[in-house]
Structure formats: C-alpha cells, structure tokens
Amino acid sequence: LYVGTIVSKDGKYMEEKMDKMNSIVEMIKDKQPSIICCQETMPHMAKFLNAKIGCNYNCYGREAFFGTNLVKSLLSNTLGNIIFYDKSKFDLISKETLWLSDKPNFPSKTWGNTEKRNCTIVQLKNKETNKVYTIINTHFDHLLKEARTKSTDFIINLINNKYNNTECYVLGDLNAKINDEELVKFKTFNYYPNESNNIKTTFNGFTKNKKSVIDYIITNSNETKNFDLITDGYGVQYLSDHYPITINL
C-alpha cells in the first residue's frame, strides 16, 4: 500500500497546460498508489481527475473559500485539498474538513493566513487487515511564519487528542523546512523525507535552479517507511512545481 502527495495547481501555467494533468493521470496509473493527496486543487482539476481515475478511486475534499465539494463545485477561482483512495482496498470510516483557523468548522482565516486554508481528513479501514488509517491532507501558508506555527500546533493537537488511536499520516506542502521553528515540533514524529533519504528538494518551481524541501509526509507510526521522490515527468518536463512524494504504509 502506498500513499502519495502532489501539488496539482500552478496558476496560469497549469491552467494553460492541461497536458500536465494527463501526465499526472499516467503517473497514477503507473504507480498505482493506494491513497493520493492533492493540494491546491481547483474544482475543474478535481473533476478531471475524478473522471479519469474514479473507476478505481473514491474521493473527498472541500474547497477552502466556501466549503463546497471540490468535485461538484461550480466555482472556478478556488482551491482545496482532495484525497483519493482505492475503493477496492479501503472502506471509508469518517471524513471531515477543518480550517486552519480559530474557527475550524467554518471557512475562515484568523491566524493572518493570506487566504483561507483547510485540511482534509479521512479515516480509512483496510478491507483485508481491518487496520484503520487517518489521513490528513493540508497546505500551510506560504508567507507568514505565525500562521504556519499555529497550523503545526493545530495538526499535532488533532493527532494527539482526536486520532491517537489510529496510525496517522499528515501529507502536504508545509512551505517551510522541518528544522524551521514553525515545523520543528513535527520532529517528535517520524517524517519523510528525512536526513537519511538524502533529498535535496521537493520544490522545483519549474526550474532546476530552485531547490527546497518543503513537502512532507509525517506519521505517528514507529515503523521505518520506504520513501520515494517522483521526478519522472511522464511526457512533460515537470508534473508540477513540486515533485510527488510517496511512502509505503
């Protein structure tokens, strides 16, 4: 079983290059991940992916601005974090969307976030083993350190207080390095990529000159996980301005 994350929205570049979306579909068909977490997903992208892979995957995600279902939303200029999961392998136990805010149950921003940001959460039960996984898909603010710090505290409290009886995975573009003050608390968990993975960048910015590790998969599991960074463009130079990352469950 594999879980992976990809940033799917790249502004006008992605808007004008839907061939990238086809390449993302080819990557999914090749890697066959059990769970896929996409950040910065616009409604038309969610609909496109759902149409292409929906025969094998169920999905859940609400856009951040108004809270509408990403796949059903009629909005265009909005974003969200969507989770696809292999319906042959998992049963959905629960799902929810929480905003990175003091008012997490409503579309809101109170920590100085430049825009409303949320986290998508699903609990999935493996049909063969009955093991339950909690998957948290999120995207932290790219400008304000305080917002990222509070987002880290919020996610850690979720894991420790609400989902501590399950194996949890936090996936996302966290817009900082793991040793930065706003993320360093995550080091109490296992995280990938870590120092042993020897990864120089997860963010490429559509150029070889930009290198920064800001995308992570964080887990409360004590088992060592196999990590992979996907750099193959599947017919295009870059699938996204972030490389997809995966680990085994």
Side-chain angles (χ1 to χ4, degrees):
L1 301 176
Y2 286 87
V3 58
T5 179
I6 183 170
V7 178
S8 57
K9 182 260 181 183
D10 301 305
K12 291 183 178 179
Y13 193 92
M14 179 64 84
E15 291 282 283
E16 296 166 1
K17 300 290 184 180
M18 285 304 290
D19 57 332
K20 287 184 177 292
M21 296 300 295
N22 286 310
S23 294
I24 289 172
V25 171
E26 290 304 310
M27 181 270 291
I28 292 171
K29 290 179 178 179
D30 179 38
K31 298 295 184 180
Q32 298 183 6
S34 303
I35 303 167
I36 309 163
C37 292
C38 302
Q39 297 92 47
E40 284 195 290
T41 310
M42 303 179 80
H44 74 276
M45 295 174 184
K47 293 172 186 176
F48 179 89
L49 287 174
N50 190 52
K52 293 292 185 178
I53 67 173
C55 58
N56 298 315
Y57 294 86
N58 286 333
C59 66
Y60 171 69
R62 294 167 64 187
E63 51 82 23
F65 297 173
F66 300 98
T68 59
N69 184 307
L70 270 168
V71 172
K72 297 180 180 180
S73 178
L74 300 178
L75 302 171
S76 57
N77 190 26
T78 186
L79 306 168
N81 308 307
I82 194 168
I83 299 175
F84 291 87
Y85 60 92
D86 188 328
K87 56 189 176 184
S88 71
K89 297 177 180 178
F90 297 103
D91 287 322
L92 179 67
I93 303 301
S94 67
K95 61 184 180 180
E96 68 174 329
T97 299
L98 297 174
W99 274 258
L100 302 177
S101 161
D102 289 326
K103 301 176 181 179
N105 295 311
F106 305 95
S108 56
K109 55 175 184 175
T110 62
W111 299 338
N113 286 322
T114 53
E115 58 189 48
K116 295 174 185 176
R117 295 180 181 272
N118 62 17
C119 57
T120 302
I121 307 166
V122 298
Q123 286 195 296
L124 303 171
K125 184 171 71 173
N126 187 305
K127 291 184 177 182
E128 291 187 0
T129 66
N130 289 325
K131 185 174 183 177
V132 175
Y133 299 93
T134 299
I135 309 298
I136 302 172
N137 182 23
T138 193
H139 182 204
F140 285 6
D141 194 83
H142 64 300
L143 293 178
L144 293 180
K145 177 179 177 180
E146 180 183 2
R148 292 192 295 272
T149 300
K150 290 187 176 182
S151 296
T152 295
D153 291 339
F154 180 83
I155 296 294
I156 289 175
N157 285 334
L158 270 181
I159 295 172
N160 291 338
N161 298 324
K162 189 171 183 177
Y163 297 114
N164 61 342
N165 62 334
T166 65
E167 193 166 298
C168 296
Y169 291 86
V170 179
L171 302 95
D173 172 4
L174 304 186
N175 273 311
K177 298 178 181 179
I178 197 70
N179 287 317
D180 290 344
E181 183 179 353
E182 56 264 50
L183 297 190
V184 73
K185 289 181 181 179
F186 278 130
K187 295 187 75 173
T188 59
F189 301 94
N190 282 330
Y191 58 93
Y192 303 86
N194 55 41
E195 290 76 7
S196 66
N197 300 132
N198 196 30
I199 298 299
K200 303 301 182 184
T201 185
T202 61
F203 172 71
N204 59 62
F206 297 116
T207 174
K208 295 180 179 180
N209 297 325
K210 291 188 176 182
K211 293 183 178 181
S212 184
V213 178
I214 58 175
D215 303 271
Y216 292 95
I217 301 176
I218 297 161
T219 177
N220 61 358
S221 170
N222 293 322
E223 298 176 3
T224 300
K225 306 294 182 178
N226 293 325
F227 171 84
D228 189 24
L229 179 81
I230 300 173
T231 57
D232 189 336
Y234 288 83
V236 296
Q237 187 172 7
Y238 299 103
L239 289 173
S240 169
D241 58 348
H242 297 244
Y243 293 115
I245 61 177
T246 70
I247 63 171
N248 68 304
L249 291 178

